Amino acid sequence: MSTSHTSPGHGRRSRYGRYTGGPDPLAPPADLTEALDAVAEEVMAGYSPERALQEFLRRGGRGREGYDDLARRLAEKRRELLQQHNLGGTLQDVQKLLDDAVLAERGQLARDVMMDDTDRTFREMQLDNLPASTAAAVNELSSYDWQSTDAREKFEQIKDMLGREFLDQRFAGMKQALEGATDEDRAAVKEMLSDLNDLLAKHRAGEDTDQAFQDFMSKHGEQFPENPENVDELIDTLAQRSAAAQRMLNSMSEEQRQELMELSAQAFGSQDLMDQLGALDDNLRDLRPDLDWSGSAEFSGEQGLGLGDGTGAIQDLAELDALSEQLSQGYDGARSTDIDLDALGRQLGEDATVSARTLAELERAMRDSGLLRHGADGSLRLSPQAMRRLGQSLLNDAAQNLSARTGSRDTRLSGASDEQTGASRPWEFGDTAPWDVTRTVTNALQRSAAEGQSPTGRVRIEVGDVEVVDTEARTQSAVALLVDTSFSMAAEGRWVPMKRTALALHHLVSTKFRGDELALITFGRMAMNMDVDELTALPPVQEQGTNLHHGLLLAERFFARHPSMDATLLIVTDGEPTAHLEEWGEAWFNWPTHPETLRKTVIQLDRVTRRGAKVTFFRLGEDPGLAQFLEQLADRAGGRVTAPDLDDLGAAVVGEYLRFRESGWDEVDWG
């Protein structure tokens, strides 16, 4: 953080201070490219964009914890809390103080030579026959006339500690605040409890006022560091602590609860404290019955926790559980903003807060960037902007693979609808051809010189100077990409590579060769023309059938709508045709391939090739029967079969499209 000021004669100065919160100005921006790639990958695998975004946030990104990582850390802390501690700390402390007091008293009795032997013997017998129960022994010694000053102090410490522990159960930090407290301090606490119960009783009856709350806080506010602004906030804070105290008692054994109940009478040496605390618990339970007053936890460790610390541990467990639910994002309408960052920081540290805040910012950026949009049905979808970015990314991947296969090439020229002839011509109104810069500047210089302008002056280009690159018409292509969507494609891990290939080709055609036409045709049990976003979101369906016949029928209709274009047919499949379309429009399925299915498929392929379509099959998998079948179809169609690896499928399809276009790989600007 910096502030600036200007002083006479010294210019501007800056003063820097400690960073005091808010978004980290030095934090790297959210990596939307990584997030989009991850979301798109899940969408292509069949997830909804909403689910895909949540899955990415759960996994996290490169070098960044996701919600699952944070949830694992929460679960580990919860496990450690239960395995390292037990709830017998207060009883253990009381027993130790009692043992110390009895030992000090025995020593005093042994050293006091002036004591009557009968009195000494009676006292020793009383100490020897104390009940095994800690609480019963403390109660029995409550009226004992201690001879040892040290022993008396130890026993008084028991009463003081019990009072502070019972208060700490309901008011966090009270144990430390009352350490070494005077009688006046304890009287002030009792008065606070009495006033608090009066305020809560009035609130229950609807008789309290804001002024009553303000008067209470003016008198006792220093004992409430949470600084509640109204009586409801005060009740919420106290009730959550009181409910945790009850859950802690529920987590103890019956014997431990009985011991504490009996010891409670010794708290500060007065029953008044416990009566006030009991009334407080009753008021809070009635005011907040929706809280968890009946839960429990199983502590199994060796480190004892006192009543206050035990209640705090129970509250920590509740906070850990709440955070785990928030991080799960498994409920309707879940958002990253639901996560309590303050609570997360308390439990896991500032690094966890930074991770969660970064994920929340990433989710916000994804939703606000225009990469995701809500459809008419309210569902979240990839936007056209996201589809373009995704298509460009996939096309770049295909280009890299294709470059590795064909060698490095000059990629400076962009695809256009016309071929350059090497000549130029004067610009005419409506021309969209690129300027011939050299001829244009030369024309301007020659005209300026003829008009007597100084050669050192600025050159002014006029309309008559402009010449454009001369082109001649280039043949356009109609491309039908048929992709197999039978369930085996998903089962064998080919579903996403198939979609990535379709998106890459679609982006190439729609951005670099806009004069071409592309049809994306899926064929499973039935065939269907699909938009690129429909294909991207298409989930795998466990349905039998590879209806290449129907796909070829749709391809023929597509080519018929573009008779002046060169026809290109690209077919991606991993199985022989096992279905065909009947005359009445229903699919007929049989496995293995039925002769009628084969006949109809071959006839339809012949119809397509009679339109001059150039055909390439892309075989996925190692099925020798499929390999032989596709080779026969390719021979019949005058085409060919390639068998690319899945990682190379996009490059193979894109490269085949460019080869058929005779456009030249080096004419494409892939950026």
Side-chain angles (χ1 to χ4, degrees):
M1 176 181 177
S2 70
T3 58
S4 300
H5 68 278
T6 304
S7 57
H10 295 284
R12 181 172 295 275
R13 294 180 178 177
S14 296
R15 189 183 312 158
Y16 293 85
R18 182 182 298 274
Y19 175 63
T20 56
D24 185 353
L26 300 181
D31 187 354
L32 293 183
T33 299
E34 179 191 4
L36 176 61
D37 289 346
V39 168
E41 194 80 4
E42 297 289 350
V43 169
M44 288 189 288
Y47 288 101
S48 69
E50 183 79 47
R51 173 75 180 278
L53 176 58
Q54 293 304 320
E55 286 296 316
F56 173 74
L57 296 174
R58 289 169 65 90
R59 291 194 306 270
R62 290 186 293 268
R64 182 193 307 113
E65 286 183 305
Y67 291 145
D68 284 350
D69 299 310
L70 296 175
R72 278 192 290 271
R73 289 174 60 186
L74 290 173
E76 180 61 27
K77 181 170 183 179
R78 190 183 198 281
R79 186 164 48 251
E80 290 177 356
L81 192 61
L82 292 172
Q83 293 178 351
Q84 291 179 2
H85 300 93
N86 65 69
L87 300 178
T90 296
L91 294 175
Q92 293 167 9
D93 291 342
V94 170
Q95 183 64 56
K96 185 177 186 307
L97 286 171
L98 178 62
D99 291 343
D100 291 345
V102 170
L103 181 62
E105 181 69 4
R106 289 183 186 280
Q108 180 63 32
L109 294 177
R111 292 190 300 272
D112 193 347
V113 297
M114 302 299 293
M115 180 176 288
D116 180 74
D117 288 343
T118 301
D119 187 24
R120 178 187 293 111
T121 301
F122 177 77
R123 290 176 179 278
E124 288 176 345
M125 289 178 60
Q126 192 174 1
L127 296 178
D128 289 340
N129 292 283
L130 287 173
S133 164
T134 301
V138 170
N139 286 332
E140 184 171 314
L141 291 173
S142 61
S143 58
Y144 180 82
D145 181 18
W146 297 92
Q147 299 301 297
S148 167
T149 302
D150 184 37
R152 183 182 298 108
E153 291 176 352
K154 295 289 186 185
F155 194 78
E156 290 300 320
Q157 287 179 28
I158 292 176
K159 298 178 181 181
D160 180 73
M161 184 194 68
L162 286 171
R164 291 188 292 119
E165 285 282 10
F166 281 117
L167 283 171
D168 205 37
Q169 265 193 302
R170 280 76 172 185
F171 306 92
M174 190 69 79
K175 179 180 179 181
Q176 292 76 19
L178 288 178
E179 188 171 6
T182 63
D183 290 340
E184 289 77 10
D185 295 329
R186 289 190 284 270
V189 170
K190 292 180 182 178
E191 183 180 9
M192 179 272 291
L193 288 172
S194 178
D195 292 346
L196 177 59
N197 278 320
D198 288 343
L199 177 66
L200 297 184
K202 290 179 180 178
H203 185 75
R204 288 173 60 186
E207 299 173 356
D208 64 323
T209 63
D210 184 62
Q211 186 59 49
F213 170 75
Q214 297 298 334
D215 292 343
F216 175 82
M217 291 301 294
S218 296
K219 186 176 180 181
H220 304 293
E222 72 278 358
Q223 301 191 48
F224 298 91
E226 301 88 358
N227 195 27
E229 295 185 358
N230 52 58
V231 69
D232 285 316
E233 288 189 9
L234 175 65
I235 292 170
D236 287 339
T237 300
L238 294 175
Q240 289 170 7
R241 182 78 177 180
S242 181
Q246 183 59 54
R247 294 198 302 275
M248 189 207 69
L249 292 176
N250 299 342
S251 304
M252 290 181 168
S253 66
E254 183 63 34
E255 180 183 358
Q256 288 174 321
R257 285 195 295 270
Q258 185 64 33
E259 289 275 287
L260 286 173
M261 184 181 300
E262 295 180 16
L263 283 170
S264 65
Q266 299 299 325
F268 290 148
S270 169
Q271 183 63 35
D272 291 345
L273 173 66
M274 295 309 299
D275 291 342
Q276 291 286 359
L277 290 177
L280 176 63
D281 289 338
D282 291 341
N283 279 320
L284 293 172
R285 188 189 291 263
D286 287 341
L287 288 166
R288 295 293 185 268
D290 55 310
L291 295 180
D292 181 8
W293 296 88
S294 60
S296 62
E298 295 185 6
F299 290 84
S300 59
E302 297 182 357
Q303 183 179 346
L305 294 175
L307 297 181
D309 290 339
T311 300
I314 292 291
Q315 285 190 295
D316 280 343
L317 290 176
E319 192 165 73
L320 290 168
D321 291 342
L323 285 168
S324 295
E325 182 179 7
Q326 293 164 14
L327 290 172
S328 74
Q329 298 283 285
Y331 48 92
D332 291 341
R335 291 289 185 272
S336 297
T337 51
D338 298 342
I339 298 170
D340 187 338
L341 296 181
D342 291 336
L344 189 65
R346 283 194 299 271
Q347 297 298 336
L348 297 183
E350 184 61 26
D351 62 320
T353 303
V354 171
S355 294
R357 185 180 291 114
T358 302
L359 291 171
E361 171 63 20
L362 188 57
E363 181 184 20
R364 185 201 62 76
M366 282 291 290
R367 294 181 184 277
D368 295 349
S369 64
L371 298 177
L372 300 175
R373 66 174 181 178
H374 286 282
D377 58 356
S379 63
L380 204 62
R381 299 181 180 179
L382 294 177
S383 69
Q385 177 188 354
M387 295 297 296
R388 288 192 296 271
R389 289 183 60 167
L390 176 60
Q392 181 63 62
S393 175
L394 297 177
L395 181 58
N396 288 341
D397 291 344
Q400 290 177 2
N401 289 345
L402 190 56
S403 178
R405 294 192 314 178
T406 60
S408 177
R409 296 173 181 257
D410 185 357
T411 62
R412 291 173 297 174
L413 298 178
S414 61
S417 60
D418 296 324
E419 295 281 5
Q420 297 181 9
T421 64
S424 62
R425 58 178 174 78
W427 177 85
E428 298 178 357
F429 181 78
D431 262 334
T432 59
W435 284 18
D436 186 325
V437 177
T438 301
R439 291 296 308 156
T440 298
V441 173
T442 299
N443 291 341
L445 289 171
Q446 290 175 344
R447 177 185 51 74
S448 298
E451 294 175 354
Q453 296 181 15
S454 171
T456 60
R458 294 181 178 179
V459 177
R460 187 179 71 256
I461 297 177
E462 297 182 356
V463 173
D465 302 327
V466 178
E467 293 195 21
V468 296
V469 175
D470 192 26
T471 60
E472 60 185 9
R474 170 190 282 174
T475 303
Q476 295 176 318
S477 295
V479 186
L481 175 63
L482 276 62
V483 290
D484 189 342
T485 55
S486 60
F487 188 71
S488 62
M489 290 285 287
E492 298 297 330
R494 299 159 186 158
W495 194 257
V496 173
M498 172 270 291
K499 290 186 177 184
R500 293 170 65 91
T501 297
L503 263 67
L505 181 61
H506 175 272
H507 189 76
L508 176 62
V509 173
S510 62
T511 60
K512 309 303 179 184
F513 299 99
R514 295 185 179 89
D516 288 357
E517 294 290 340
L518 173 65
L520 299 176
I521 300 172
T522 63
F523 62 98
R525 185 83 169 218
M526 298 283 285
M528 185 180 302
N529 283 293
M530 283 198 172
D531 294 333
V532 67
D533 55 343
E534 292 178 312
L535 178 58
T536 302
L538 181 68
V541 179
Q542 194 163 359
E543 183 180 68
Q544 293 178 317
T546 304
N547 198 338
L548 179 58
H549 164 248
H550 192 188
L552 291 169
L553 179 63
L554 295 181
E556 183 193 10
R557 293 175 182 173
F558 167 69
F559 293 140
R561 292 195 298 271
H562 305 285
S564 64
M565 294 185 175
D566 284 350
T568 298
L569 179 63
L570 308 173
I571 302 173
V572 178
T573 185
D574 71 346
E576 299 178 43
T578 55
H580 64 264
L581 192 67
E582 296 284 14
E583 286 76 7
W584 51 88
E586 293 183 1
W588 188 87
F589 166 78
N590 188 79
W591 187 89
T593 302
H594 192 275
E596 180 64 11
T597 298
L598 179 59
R599 185 183 72 83
K600 284 180 173 289
T601 301
V602 170
I603 289 175
Q604 191 57 48
L605 179 64
D606 290 344
R607 290 174 178 170
V608 172
T609 54
R610 279 198 293 271
R611 292 185 175 275
K614 293 167 283 189
V615 182
T616 299
F617 293 92
F618 300 88
R619 175 175 58 83
L620 304 180
E622 301 298 331
D623 181 3
L626 175 63
Q628 181 179 6
F629 173 75
L630 293 182
E631 289 291 351
Q632 292 173 344
L633 288 186
D635 288 344
R636 186 179 184 91
R640 67 172 185 162
V641 179
T642 67
D645 295 333
L646 284 179
D647 291 341
D648 200 37
L649 178 60
V653 171
V654 166
E656 196 72 355
Y657 162 69
L658 294 175
R659 185 178 73 86
F660 280 151
R661 278 194 106 265
E662 297 181 353
S663 62
W665 144 265
D666 56 348
E667 291 187 11
V668 182
D669 176 10
W670 302 95

